[in-house]
Amino acid sequence: MEETRTPLKLTLYVAGQTPKSVAAIRNLERIASEHMAGEVEVEVIDLRQHPQLAREHNIVAIPTLVRSLPVPVAKIIGDLSDEEKVLVHLKVEG
C-alpha cells in the first residue's frame, strides 16, 4: 500500500526586491522543485504591498517562511540558504 503525504502549504513573506527577499524566493523555488515537486503549494506575499498581513500573521522579521499545512505551523526566518535546515524544519526528507 502506497503512503500518501499531506501536501505542504508554504507562505513566504518578503519585502519588495531586497537582496534577502530575492535570495529567499530563489532558494525556496529551488528547494521546492528539488525536494517537494508536486507536493507543495507556495504563496509569496510582499508585505510592502500588504503591510497589514504582517500583524495578522505575526510576522516579526522578513523574509519569513511559514508552513501552515500540515500542522503544527512552523516558521523559518532568513534567506533559506541553509537547505538542510529548511528541510528539517519543514519535516521533508532530503
Side-chain angles (χ1 to χ4, degrees):
M1 183 172 198
E2 190 173 308
E3 181 179 329
T4 59
R5 293 171 53 168
T6 303
L8 293 171
K9 182 173 181 186
L10 305 176
T11 306
L12 179 62
Y13 294 90
V14 297
Q17 296 295 311
T18 64
K20 280 194 171 193
S21 293
V22 171
I25 293 168
R26 288 187 181 151
N27 287 329
L28 179 58
E29 289 174 345
R30 178 181 46 78
I31 292 169
S33 68
E34 292 177 3
H35 300 279
M36 301 172 254
E39 301 176 356
V40 63
E41 176 186 333
V42 176
E43 180 179 16
V44 177
I45 294 178
D46 186 344
L47 291 177
R48 286 189 177 173
Q49 296 175 0
H50 308 283
Q52 76 283 2
L53 294 177
R55 180 177 297 191
E56 291 176 18
H57 297 250
N58 294 322
I59 304 301
V60 295
I62 46 175
T64 295
L65 178 64
V66 177
R67 183 198 71 197
S68 53
L69 288 175
V71 291
V73 173
K75 293 182 180 178
I76 304 170
I77 295 171
D79 66 4
L80 311 175
S81 60
D82 187 339
E83 180 177 310
E84 186 174 329
K85 175 183 168 185
V86 173
L87 293 173
V88 167
H89 277 80
L90 296 178
K91 298 183 179 175
V92 174
E93 295 178 17

